[in-house]
Coordinates of all heavy atoms in Angstrom, one line a residue:
M83 N 125.4 93.0 93.8 CA 126.6 92.1 93.5 C 126.8 91.8 92.0 O 125.8 91.7 91.3 CB 126.5 90.8 94.3 CG 127.7 89.9 94.3 SD 127.9 88.7 95.5 CE 126.5 87.6 95.0
V84 N 128.0 91.8 91.6 CA 128.3 91.5 90.2 C 128.1 90.1 89.8 O 128.3 89.2 90.6 CB 129.8 91.9 89.9 CG1 130.2 91.6 88.5 CG2 130.0 93.4 90.2
R85 N 127.5 89.8 88.6 CA 127.3 88.5 88.2 C 128.6 87.7 88.1 O 129.6 88.2 87.5 CB 126.6 88.5 86.8 CG 126.4 87.1 86.2 CD 125.6 87.1 85.0 NE 124.2 87.2 85.4 CZ 123.2 87.2 84.6 NH1 123.4 87.2 83.3 NH2 122.0 87.4 85.0
K86 N 128.7 86.5 88.6 CA 129.8 85.7 88.6 C 129.8 84.6 87.6 O 128.7 84.1 87.2 CB 130.0 85.0 90.0 CG 130.1 86.0 91.2 CD 131.4 86.7 91.2 CE 131.5 87.6 92.4 NZ 132.9 88.1 92.6
K87 N 130.9 84.2 87.0 CA 130.9 83.2 85.9 C 131.5 81.9 86.5 O 132.6 81.9 87.1 CB 131.8 83.7 84.8 CG 131.8 82.6 83.6 CD 132.7 83.1 82.5 CE 132.9 82.0 81.4 NZ 133.7 82.5 80.4
I88 N 130.7 80.8 86.3 CA 131.1 79.5 86.7 C 131.2 78.6 85.5 O 130.3 78.5 84.7 CB 130.1 78.9 87.7 CG1 129.9 79.7 88.9 CG2 130.5 77.4 88.0 CD1 128.8 79.2 89.9
V89 N 132.4 78.0 85.3 CA 132.6 77.1 84.2 C 132.5 75.7 84.8 O 133.1 75.4 85.8 CB 134.0 77.3 83.5 CG1 134.3 76.2 82.5 CG2 134.0 78.7 82.9
V90 N 131.7 74.8 84.1 CA 131.6 73.4 84.5 C 132.1 72.6 83.4 O 131.6 72.7 82.2 CB 130.1 73.1 84.8 CG1 129.9 71.7 85.3 CG2 129.5 74.0 85.8
A91 N 133.0 71.6 83.7 CA 133.6 70.8 82.6 C 133.5 69.3 82.9 O 133.7 68.9 84.1 CB 135.1 71.2 82.4
C92 N 133.2 68.6 81.9 CA 133.2 67.1 81.9 C 133.9 66.6 80.7 O 134.4 67.4 79.9 CB 131.9 66.5 82.1 SG 130.8 66.7 80.6
G93 N 134.0 65.4 80.5 CA 134.7 64.8 79.3 C 134.2 65.3 78.0 O 135.0 65.7 77.1
S94 N 132.9 65.3 77.8 CA 132.4 65.7 76.5 C 131.8 67.1 76.4 O 131.6 67.6 75.4 CB 131.3 64.7 76.1 OG 130.2 64.9 77.0
G95 N 131.5 67.7 77.6 CA 130.9 69.0 77.6 C 129.5 69.0 77.3 O 128.9 70.1 77.0
V96 N 128.8 67.8 77.3 CA 127.4 67.8 76.9 C 126.6 67.5 78.1 O 126.3 68.4 78.9 CB 127.2 66.7 75.8 CG1 125.8 66.8 75.3 CG2 128.1 67.0 74.6
A97 N 126.1 66.3 78.3 CA 125.1 65.9 79.3 C 125.4 66.2 80.7 O 124.7 67.0 81.4 CB 124.7 64.5 79.1
T98 N 126.5 65.7 81.2 CA 126.8 65.8 82.6 C 127.1 67.2 83.0 O 126.6 67.7 84.0 CB 128.0 64.9 83.0 OG1 127.7 63.6 82.6 CG2 128.3 64.9 84.5
S99 N 128.0 67.9 82.3 CA 128.3 69.3 82.6 C 127.1 70.2 82.5 O 127.0 71.1 83.4 CB 129.5 69.8 81.9 OG 129.3 69.7 80.5
K100 N 126.3 70.0 81.6 CA 125.1 70.9 81.4 C 124.1 70.6 82.6 O 123.6 71.6 83.1 CB 124.4 70.6 80.0 CG 125.1 71.2 78.9 CD 124.3 71.1 77.6 CE 125.1 71.9 76.5 NZ 124.5 71.7 75.2
S101 N 124.0 69.4 83.0 CA 123.1 69.0 84.1 C 123.6 69.7 85.4 O 122.8 70.3 86.1 CB 123.0 67.5 84.2 OG 122.4 67.2 85.4
V102 N 124.9 69.5 85.6 CA 125.5 70.1 86.9 C 125.4 71.6 86.8 O 125.1 72.3 87.8 CB 126.9 69.6 87.0 CG1 127.6 70.4 88.1 CG2 126.9 68.1 87.4
A103 N 125.7 72.2 85.6 CA 125.7 73.7 85.5 C 124.3 74.2 85.8 O 124.1 75.2 86.5 CB 126.1 74.1 84.1
E104 N 123.2 73.6 85.3 CA 121.8 74.0 85.6 C 121.5 73.9 87.1 O 120.9 74.8 87.7 CB 120.8 73.2 84.7 CG 120.8 73.7 83.3 CD 120.4 75.2 83.2 OE1 119.5 75.6 83.8 OE2 121.2 75.9 82.4
R105 N 121.9 72.8 87.7 CA 121.7 72.5 89.1 C 122.3 73.6 89.9 O 121.7 74.2 90.8 CB 122.1 71.1 89.5 CG 121.8 70.9 91.0 CD 122.0 69.5 91.4 NE 120.8 68.7 91.0 CZ 120.8 67.4 91.0 NH1 121.9 66.7 91.3 NH2 119.7 66.8 90.7
V106 N 123.6 73.9 89.6 CA 124.4 74.9 90.4 C 123.7 76.3 90.2 O 123.6 77.0 91.1 CB 125.9 74.9 90.0 CG1 126.6 76.1 90.6 CG2 126.5 73.6 90.4
K107 N 123.3 76.6 89.0 CA 122.7 77.9 88.7 C 121.4 78.0 89.5 O 121.2 79.1 90.1 CB 122.4 78.1 87.2 CG 121.9 79.4 86.9 CD 122.0 79.8 85.4 CE 121.1 79.0 84.5 NZ 121.1 79.4 83.1
D108 N 120.6 77.0 89.6 CA 119.4 77.0 90.4 C 119.7 77.2 91.9 O 119.0 78.0 92.6 CB 118.5 75.8 90.2 CG 117.9 75.7 88.8 OD1 117.9 76.7 88.1 OD2 117.5 74.6 88.4
L109 N 120.6 76.4 92.4 CA 121.0 76.5 93.8 C 121.6 77.9 94.1 O 121.3 78.4 95.2 CB 122.0 75.4 94.2 CG 121.4 74.0 94.1 CD1 122.5 73.0 94.2 CD2 120.4 73.8 95.3
C110 N 122.3 78.5 93.2 CA 122.9 79.8 93.5 C 121.7 80.8 93.5 O 121.7 81.7 94.3 CB 123.9 80.2 92.4 SG 125.5 79.4 92.6
K111 N 120.8 80.7 92.6 CA 119.6 81.6 92.6 C 118.9 81.5 93.9 O 118.5 82.6 94.5 CB 118.7 81.2 91.5 CG 117.6 82.2 91.2 CD 116.8 81.8 90.0 CE 115.7 82.8 89.7 NZ 114.9 82.4 88.5
Q112 N 118.7 80.3 94.5 CA 118.1 80.2 95.8 C 118.8 80.9 96.9 O 118.2 81.4 97.8 CB 118.0 78.7 96.2 CG 117.0 77.9 95.3 CD 117.0 76.4 95.6 OE1 117.5 76.0 96.7 NE2 116.5 75.6 94.7
R113 N 120.2 81.0 96.7 CA 121.0 81.7 97.7 C 121.3 83.1 97.4 O 122.1 83.8 98.0 CB 122.3 80.9 97.9 CG 122.2 79.5 98.5 CD 123.5 78.9 98.7 NE 123.4 77.5 99.2 CZ 124.2 77.0 100.1 NH1 125.2 77.7 100.6 NH2 124.0 75.8 100.5
K114 N 120.5 83.6 96.3 CA 120.7 85.0 95.9 C 122.1 85.3 95.4 O 122.6 86.4 95.7 CB 120.2 86.0 97.0 CG 118.7 85.6 97.4 CD 118.1 86.8 98.0 CE 116.6 86.6 98.4 NZ 115.9 85.4 98.1
I115 N 122.7 84.4 94.7 CA 124.0 84.6 94.1 C 123.8 84.7 92.6 O 123.2 83.7 92.0 CB 125.0 83.5 94.4 CG1 125.1 83.3 95.9 CG2 126.4 83.8 93.8 CD1 125.8 82.0 96.3
D116 N 124.1 85.8 92.0 CA 123.9 86.0 90.6 C 125.0 85.4 89.8 O 126.2 85.9 89.8 CB 123.8 87.5 90.3 CG 123.3 87.8 88.8 OD1 122.8 86.9 88.2 OD2 123.5 89.0 88.4
V117 N 124.7 84.3 89.0 CA 125.7 83.6 88.2 C 125.3 83.4 86.8 O 124.1 83.3 86.5 CB 126.1 82.3 88.9 CG1 126.7 82.5 90.3 CG2 125.0 81.3 88.9
V118 N 126.3 83.2 86.0 CA 126.1 82.6 84.7 C 126.9 81.3 84.6 O 128.1 81.3 85.1 CB 126.4 83.6 83.5 CG1 127.9 84.1 83.6 CG2 126.2 83.0 82.2
T119 N 126.4 80.2 84.1 CA 127.2 79.0 84.1 C 127.5 78.6 82.6 O 126.6 79.0 81.7 CB 126.5 77.9 84.7 OG1 125.1 77.7 84.2 CG2 126.3 78.1 86.3
E120 N 128.6 78.0 82.4 CA 128.9 77.6 81.1 C 129.4 76.1 81.1 O 130.3 75.8 81.9 CB 130.0 78.5 80.6 CG 130.4 78.3 79.1 CD 131.4 79.4 78.6 OE1 131.7 80.3 79.3 OE2 131.9 79.2 77.5
A121 N 128.8 75.3 80.4 CA 129.2 73.9 80.3 C 130.2 73.7 79.1 O 129.8 74.0 78.0 CB 128.0 73.0 80.1
V122 N 131.4 73.1 79.4 CA 132.4 72.9 78.4 C 133.0 71.5 78.5 O 132.8 70.8 79.5 CB 133.5 74.0 78.4 CG1 132.9 75.4 78.3 CG2 134.3 73.9 79.7
D123 N 133.8 71.1 77.5 CA 134.6 69.9 77.7 C 136.0 70.2 78.2 O 136.4 71.3 78.1 CB 134.6 69.1 76.3 CG 135.3 69.9 75.3 OD1 136.5 70.3 75.5 OD2 134.8 70.0 74.2
F124 N 136.6 69.2 78.7 CA 138.0 69.4 79.3 C 139.0 69.9 78.3 O 139.9 70.6 78.6 CB 138.5 68.1 80.0 CG 137.9 67.9 81.3 CD1 137.1 66.8 81.6 CD2 138.2 68.8 82.4 CE1 136.6 66.6 82.9 CE2 137.7 68.6 83.6 CZ 136.9 67.5 83.9
R125 N 138.9 69.5 77.0 CA 139.8 69.9 76.1 C 139.9 71.4 75.9 O 140.9 72.0 75.6 CB 139.6 69.3 74.7 CG 139.9 67.7 74.7 CD 139.6 67.1 73.4 NE 138.2 67.2 72.9 CZ 137.2 66.4 73.4 NH1 137.4 65.6 74.4 NH2 135.9 66.6 73.0
S126 N 138.8 72.1 76.1 CA 138.7 73.5 75.8 C 138.6 74.3 77.1 O 138.5 75.6 77.1 CB 137.5 73.9 74.9 OG 136.3 73.6 75.6
V127 N 138.7 73.7 78.3 CA 138.4 74.4 79.5 C 139.3 75.6 79.8 O 138.8 76.6 80.2 CB 138.4 73.4 80.7 CG1 139.8 73.0 81.1 CG2 137.7 74.0 81.9
K128 N 140.5 75.5 79.5 CA 141.4 76.6 79.8 C 141.1 77.9 79.1 O 141.2 79.0 79.7 CB 142.9 76.2 79.6 CG 143.4 75.2 80.6 CD 144.9 75.1 80.6 CE 145.3 74.2 81.7 NZ 146.8 74.0 81.8
S129 N 140.6 77.8 77.9 CA 140.2 79.0 77.2 C 139.0 79.7 77.8 O 138.7 80.8 77.6 CB 140.1 78.7 75.7 OG 138.9 77.8 75.5
H130 N 138.1 78.9 78.4 CA 136.9 79.4 79.0 C 137.1 79.9 80.4 O 136.2 80.6 80.9 CB 135.8 78.3 79.1 CG 135.3 77.9 77.7 ND1 134.4 78.5 77.1 CD2 135.7 76.9 76.9 CE1 134.2 77.9 75.9 NE2 135.0 76.9 75.8
L131 N 138.2 79.7 81.0 CA 138.5 80.1 82.4 C 139.1 81.5 82.5 O 139.2 82.0 83.6 CB 139.4 79.1 83.1 CG 138.8 77.7 83.4 CD1 139.8 76.8 84.0 CD2 137.6 77.8 84.3
K132 N 139.4 82.1 81.4 CA 140.1 83.4 81.4 C 139.3 84.4 82.2 O 139.9 85.2 83.0 CB 140.3 83.9 80.0 CG 141.4 83.2 79.3 CD 141.6 83.7 77.9 CE 142.7 82.9 77.1 NZ 142.1 82.1 76.1
D133 N 138.0 84.5 82.1 CA 137.2 85.4 82.8 C 136.3 84.8 83.8 O 135.3 85.4 84.2 CB 136.4 86.3 81.8 CG 135.5 85.5 80.9 OD1 135.6 84.3 80.9 OD2 134.6 86.1 80.3
A134 N 136.6 83.6 84.3 CA 135.8 82.8 85.2 C 136.1 83.1 86.6 O 137.2 83.5 86.9 CB 135.8 81.3 85.0
D135 N 135.1 83.0 87.5 CA 135.3 83.2 88.9 C 135.5 81.8 89.7 O 136.0 81.8 90.8 CB 134.1 84.0 89.5 CG 134.0 85.3 88.9 OD1 134.8 86.2 89.3 OD2 133.1 85.5 88.1
L136 N 135.0 80.8 89.0 CA 135.0 79.4 89.6 C 135.0 78.4 88.6 O 134.3 78.5 87.5 CB 133.8 79.3 90.6 CG 133.6 78.0 91.2 CD1 134.6 77.7 92.3 CD2 132.2 77.9 91.9
F137 N 135.7 77.3 88.8 CA 135.6 76.1 87.9 C 135.1 74.9 88.7 O 135.6 74.6 89.7 CB 137.1 75.8 87.4 CG 137.2 74.6 86.6 CD1 136.3 74.2 85.7 CD2 138.4 73.8 86.8 CE1 136.4 73.0 85.0 CE2 138.6 72.6 86.0 CZ 137.6 72.2 85.1
I138 N 134.1 74.3 88.1 CA 133.5 73.1 88.7 C 133.9 71.9 87.8 O 133.6 71.9 86.6 CB 132.0 73.1 88.9 CG1 131.6 74.2 89.8 CG2 131.5 71.8 89.3 CD1 130.1 74.4 90.0
S139 N 134.7 71.0 88.4 CA 135.3 69.9 87.6 C 134.5 68.6 87.9 O 134.4 68.3 89.0 CB 136.8 69.7 87.9 OG 137.3 68.6 87.3
I140 N 134.1 67.9 86.8 CA 133.4 66.6 87.0 C 134.4 65.6 86.5 O 134.3 65.1 85.4 CB 132.1 66.6 86.2 CG1 131.2 67.8 86.6 CG2 131.4 65.3 86.4 CD1 130.1 68.0 85.6
A141 N 135.4 65.4 87.4 CA 136.4 64.4 87.1 C 137.1 64.0 88.4 O 137.0 64.7 89.4 CB 137.4 65.0 86.1
P142 N 137.8 62.9 88.3 CA 138.7 62.6 89.5 C 139.6 63.8 89.8 O 140.0 64.5 88.8 CB 139.4 61.4 89.1 CG 138.7 60.8 88.0 CD 138.0 61.9 87.3
Y143 N 140.0 63.9 91.0 CA 140.9 65.0 91.4 C 142.1 65.1 90.5 O 142.7 64.1 90.2 CB 141.3 64.9 92.8 CG 142.3 65.9 93.3 CD1 141.9 67.2 93.6 CD2 143.7 65.6 93.3 CE1 142.8 68.2 93.9 CE2 144.6 66.6 93.7 CZ 144.2 67.9 94.0 OH 145.1 68.8 94.3
D144 N 142.4 66.3 90.1 CA 143.7 66.5 89.4 C 144.3 67.8 90.0 O 143.6 68.6 90.5 CB 143.6 66.6 87.9 CG 143.1 67.9 87.4 OD1 143.7 69.0 87.8 OD2 142.2 67.9 86.5
S145 N 145.7 67.8 90.0 CA 146.3 68.9 90.8 C 146.7 70.1 89.9 O 147.4 70.9 90.2 CB 147.6 68.4 91.4 OG 148.4 67.8 90.4
T146 N 146.0 70.2 88.7 CA 146.3 71.3 87.8 C 145.9 72.6 88.4 O 144.8 72.7 89.0 CB 145.5 71.0 86.4 OG1 145.8 69.8 85.9 CG2 145.8 72.1 85.4
D147 N 146.7 73.6 88.2 CA 146.4 74.9 88.7 C 145.7 75.6 87.5 O 146.3 76.0 86.5 CB 147.7 75.7 89.1 CG 147.3 77.1 89.6 OD1 146.1 77.5 89.6 OD2 148.3 77.8 89.9
Y148 N 144.4 75.9 87.6 CA 143.7 76.5 86.6 C 143.6 78.0 86.7 O 143.0 78.7 85.9 CB 142.2 75.9 86.5 CG 142.2 74.5 86.0 CD1 142.1 73.4 87.0 CD2 142.3 74.2 84.7 CE1 142.1 72.1 86.5 CE2 142.3 72.9 84.3 CZ 142.2 71.8 85.2 OH 142.2 70.6 84.8
G149 N 144.2 78.6 87.8 CA 144.2 80.0 88.0 C 142.9 80.5 88.6 O 142.8 81.7 88.8
V150 N 141.9 79.6 88.9 CA 140.7 80.0 89.6 C 140.4 79.0 90.6 O 140.8 77.8 90.5 CB 139.5 80.2 88.6 CG1 139.7 81.3 87.6 CG2 139.2 78.9 87.9
P151 N 139.5 79.2 91.6 CA 139.2 78.2 92.6 C 138.4 77.1 91.8 O 137.7 77.3 90.9 CB 138.2 78.9 93.5 CG 138.5 80.4 93.4 CD 139.0 80.6 92.0
V152 N 138.7 75.8 92.3 CA 138.1 74.6 91.7 C 137.3 73.9 92.8 O 137.7 73.7 93.9 CB 139.2 73.7 91.2 CG1 138.5 72.4 90.6 CG2 140.1 74.4 90.2
V153 N 136.0 73.5 92.4 CA 135.2 72.8 93.3 C 134.8 71.5 92.5 O 134.5 71.6 91.3 CB 133.9 73.6 93.7 CG1 132.9 72.7 94.4 CG2 134.3 74.8 94.5
S154 N 134.6 70.4 93.2 CA 134.2 69.1 92.6 C 132.7 69.2 92.3 O 131.9 69.7 93.0 CB 134.4 67.9 93.5 OG 133.8 66.8 93.0
G155 N 132.4 68.7 91.0 CA 131.0 68.7 90.6 C 130.3 67.4 91.0 O 129.1 67.3 90.7
I156 N 131.1 66.4 91.5 CA 130.5 65.1 91.8 C 129.3 65.2 92.7 O 128.3 64.6 92.5 CB 131.6 64.2 92.4 CG1 132.8 64.0 91.4 CG2 131.0 62.8 92.7 CD1 132.5 63.4 90.1
P157 N 129.4 66.0 93.8 CA 128.2 66.1 94.7 C 126.9 66.6 94.0 O 125.8 66.2 94.4 CB 128.6 67.2 95.8 CG 130.1 67.1 95.8 CD 130.5 66.8 94.3
F158 N 127.0 67.3 92.9 CA 125.8 67.8 92.2 C 125.2 66.7 91.3 O 124.1 66.8 90.8 CB 126.1 69.1 91.4 CG 126.6 70.2 92.3 CD1 128.0 70.5 92.4 CD2 125.7 70.8 93.1 CE1 128.4 71.4 93.3 CE2 126.1 71.9 94.0 CZ 127.5 72.1 94.1
M159 N 126.0 65.7 91.1 CA 125.5 64.5 90.3 C 124.9 63.5 91.3 O 123.9 62.9 90.9 CB 126.7 63.8 89.5 CG 127.3 64.7 88.4 SD 128.8 64.0 87.8 CE 128.5 62.3 87.6
T160 N 125.5 63.3 92.4 CA 125.1 62.2 93.3 C 124.1 62.8 94.4 O 123.4 62.0 94.9 CB 126.3 61.6 94.1 OG1 126.9 62.7 94.9 CG2 127.3 61.1 93.1
G161 N 124.2 64.1 94.7 CA 123.3 64.6 95.7 C 124.0 64.5 97.1 O 123.6 65.1 98.1
I162 N 125.1 63.7 97.2 CA 125.8 63.5 98.4 C 126.8 64.6 98.6 O 127.8 64.8 97.8 CB 126.5 62.1 98.4 CG1 125.4 61.0 98.3 CG2 127.3 61.9 99.7 CD1 126.0 59.7 98.0
G163 N 126.7 65.4 99.7 CA 127.6 66.4 100.0 C 127.3 67.7 99.2 O 128.1 68.6 99.2
M164 N 126.1 67.8 98.6 CA 125.8 69.0 97.8 C 125.7 70.3 98.6 O 126.2 71.3 98.2 CB 124.5 68.7 97.1 CG 124.3 69.6 95.9 SD 123.0 69.0 94.8 CE 121.6 68.9 95.8
D165 N 125.1 70.2 99.8 CA 125.1 71.4 100.6 C 126.4 71.9 101.0 O 126.7 73.1 101.0 CB 124.2 71.1 101.9 CG 122.7 71.0 101.6 OD1 122.3 71.4 100.6 OD2 122.0 70.4 102.5
K166 N 127.3 71.0 101.4 CA 128.7 71.4 101.7 C 129.4 72.1 100.5 O 130.0 73.1 100.6 CB 129.5 70.2 102.2 CG 130.8 70.5 102.7 CD 131.6 69.3 103.2 CE 133.0 69.7 103.6 NZ 133.8 68.5 103.7
A167 N 129.2 71.5 99.3 CA 129.8 72.0 98.1 C 129.2 73.4 97.8 O 129.9 74.3 97.4 CB 129.6 71.1 96.9
M168 N 127.9 73.6 98.0 CA 127.3 74.9 97.8 C 127.8 75.9 98.7 O 128.0 77.1 98.4 CB 125.8 74.8 97.8 CG 125.1 74.4 96.5 SD 125.6 75.4 95.1 CE 125.1 77.1 95.6
D169 N 128.0 75.5 100.0 CA 128.6 76.4 101.0 C 130.0 76.9 100.5 O 130.3 78.1 100.7 CB 128.7 75.7 102.4 CG 127.3 75.5 103.0 OD1 126.3 76.1 102.6 OD2 127.3 74.7 104.0
E170 N 130.7 76.0 100.0 CA 132.1 76.3 99.5 C 132.0 77.3 98.3 O 132.7 78.3 98.2 CB 132.8 75.0 99.1 CG 134.2 75.2 98.7 CD 135.0 73.9 98.3 OE1 134.4 72.9 98.6 OE2 136.1 74.1 97.8
I171 N 131.0 77.0 97.4 CA 130.8 77.9 96.2 C 130.4 79.3 96.7 O 130.9 80.3 96.2 CB 129.8 77.3 95.3 CG1 130.4 76.1 94.5 CG2 129.3 78.3 94.3 CD1 129.4 75.2 93.7
E172 N 129.5 79.3 97.6 CA 129.0 80.6 98.1 C 130.1 81.4 98.8 O 130.3 82.6 98.5 CB 127.9 80.4 99.1 CG 127.3 81.7 99.6 CD 126.0 81.5 100.5 OE1 125.7 80.3 100.9 OE2 125.3 82.5 100.8
K173 N 130.9 80.8 99.5 CA 132.1 81.4 100.2 C 133.1 82.0 99.2 O 133.5 83.1 99.3 CB 132.8 80.4 101.1 CG 133.9 81.0 101.9 CD 134.5 79.9 102.8 CE 135.8 80.2 103.3 NZ 136.5 79.1 103.9
I174 N 133.4 81.2 98.1 CA 134.2 81.7 97.1 C 133.7 82.8 96.3 O 134.3 83.8 96.1 CB 134.6 80.5 96.1 CG1 135.4 79.5 96.8 CG2 135.3 81.0 94.8 CD1 135.5 78.1 96.0
L175 N 132.4 82.8 95.9 CA 131.8 83.8 95.1 C 131.4 85.1 95.8 O 131.3 86.1 95.2 CB 130.6 83.2 94.4 CG 130.8 82.1 93.4 CD1 129.5 81.7 92.7 CD2 131.9 82.5 92.3
K176 N 131.3 85.0 97.1 CA 130.9 86.2 97.9 C 132.1 86.9 98.4 O 132.0 87.9 99.2 CB 129.9 85.8 99.0 CG 128.6 85.5 98.4 CD 127.5 85.5 99.5 CE 126.1 85.4 98.8 NZ 125.0 85.3 99.9
K177 N 133.3 86.5 98.1 CA 134.6 87.2 98.5 C 134.6 88.6 98.0 O 134.2 88.9 96.9 CB 135.8 86.4 98.1 CG 136.1 85.3 99.0 CD 137.4 84.6 98.5 CE 137.7 83.4 99.4 NZ 138.9 82.7 99.0

């Protein structure tokens, strides 16, 4: 399978998005999904999504069409609903 690119964005692109990006990368590895993750801030997110397969947003829901599937990053911060979110990510990336 081809390596998939996941972009993770939060307000600053530092602590939260990097933490979520690492967690998602580890969980994908456990599920044998080859990914590269990139932590960015919201101001620059659109430029990073050009070649992305998935966008994980760490923000309240917004209805912006980013041109790629969007999954909430909140479950990866709280641990609540993380398995369901990973199932969604796996389904998207294995298409």
